Amino acid sequence: MIKAAGAVLWRDADGDVEVAVVHRRRYDDWSLPKGKLDRGETIPACAAREVVEETGYECVLGRYLLQTSYKVRGDAKTVDYYAAEAVSGSFVANDEVDSLKWLPVAEAASVLTYAHDRDVLAEFDRLPADLLLVLLVRHAKAGKRSEWDLDDDLRPLSGAGWKQAAALQSLLPLWSPTRVHTAPRVRCADTVRGVAEDLAVEMVEEPRLSEEGYWPDPEAGLVRLLEVAAVEGRAVVSSQGGVIPSVVRTLTELGGLRQSEFPCKKGSVWVLAFTRPFGTWSTSDSPSRWPTLVSAHYLASALPRP
């Protein structure tokens, strides 16, 4: 199995969305930027790296789009795609790509050589490009509760947990979060502390997103997460396994998404994308004006493939 990743790279062109299509000299085709995973690389990191290498543009990842699969000289190949906003850079012809065009989505679709690339572009076009984003993290592995005699709130990460936290510190910035929130548990805070330090921001404690704070009033916990999304645009939220599946299940039901499973491994991430409310928003507004979940993608691990 050949694993690859890519992106629909987009930019705002005076209020309209343009996407990048690239011409590959070797194949004489027009495609979306993509390429094979390097050893020890995650799929999101590969998508961002390939964008830079093929287009010259630094990007910020957005929602997950879809996976395509096809045969290459008899071998099965899968390509996972993300939306990605161009934030800086410029195109310079390179060994792989000799031309790049910024085009409106409909025009780009007519230029792309392959049907599977057009399918990816159609999924990108199904929703607005500029969405709110919450990276909902379950805390990394901690020491066994049976072997911890002190307050469970203070139970620290294990050695394996610190490795997961380091991997998250590398992975989560691909989505360019601006704030870090955490349930008031040492293990929750330490899981994302490195991200907060890199951003030079203080972590915000979220009692309503801890297990004992959430279950007496799940609606209040849900509203708090929506408030984080609406006010900050892009945020990391570290919580617990007794909270995250309920939150994601409720949000998908409210958003009308088809999601039958809600896994929540330690150190995993749900990438949640929401519509933006019109105008100024507050929790006192009618629920019809709250952000709506439109995409939920689960990353079982921040650790790279062997």
Side-chain angles (χ1 to χ4, degrees), residues 190-209:
D190 283 350
T191 296
V192 293
R193 189 178 304 280
V195 180
E197 291 174 348
D198 290 344
L199 292 174
V201 298
E202 294 291 329
M203 286 186 289
V204 180
E205 285 201 348
E206 299 293 347
R208 291 212 178 265
L209 295 172

Side-chain angles (χ1 to χ4, degrees), residues 102-283:
W102 285 104
L103 300 171
V105 172
E107 190 173 343
S110 68
V111 169
L112 289 169
T113 302
Y114 305 110
H116 53 254
D117 278 352
R118 292 192 289 275
D119 290 341
V120 175
L121 191 58
E123 171 59 24
F124 169 81
D125 194 41
R126 186 176 63 85
L127 294 170
D130 188 19
L131 296 168
L132 306 171
L133 204 74
V134 170
L135 302 165
L136 185 56
V137 180
R138 183 180 178 187
H139 68 76
K141 293 179 179 179
K144 293 181 179 179
R145 183 175 302 188
S146 61
E147 298 176 359
W148 182 255
D149 296 329
L150 303 179
D151 186 339
D152 188 59
D153 291 2
L154 304 177
R155 184 156 49 95
L157 298 183
S158 64
W162 283 111
K163 290 180 181 179
Q164 290 176 316
L168 288 164
Q169 188 175 355
S170 297
L171 179 73
L172 298 181
L174 295 172
W175 286 271
S176 194
T178 59
R179 293 289 296 173
V180 178
H181 301 249
T182 179
R185 296 283 187 278
V186 165
R187 55 191 179 276
C188 293
D190 283 350
T191 296
V192 293
R193 189 178 304 280
V195 180
E197 291 174 348
D198 290 344
L199 292 174
V201 298
E202 294 291 329
M203 286 186 289
V204 180
E205 285 201 348
E206 299 293 347
R208 291 212 178 265
L209 295 172
S210 66
E211 289 175 351
E212 81 281 1
Y214 175 80
W215 284 109
D217 191 350
E219 183 176 340
L222 198 71
V223 169
R224 177 56 190 149
L225 188 137
L226 291 173
E227 184 179 33
V228 169
V231 172
E232 298 180 5
R234 287 176 176 254
V236 172
V237 176
S238 179
S239 186
Q240 297 178 267
V243 173
I244 292 171
S246 174
V247 167
V248 179
R249 180 183 292 107
T250 304
L251 288 171
T252 58
E253 290 172 353
L254 291 172
L257 301 183
R258 295 180 179 178
Q259 194 88 29
S260 58
E261 296 182 352
F262 303 92
C264 189
K265 293 174 62 177
K266 291 177 181 176
S268 63
V269 184
W270 277 95
V271 181
L272 306 177
F274 301 83
T275 56
R276 289 182 177 272
F278 292 104
T280 303
W281 180 86
S282 75
T283 54

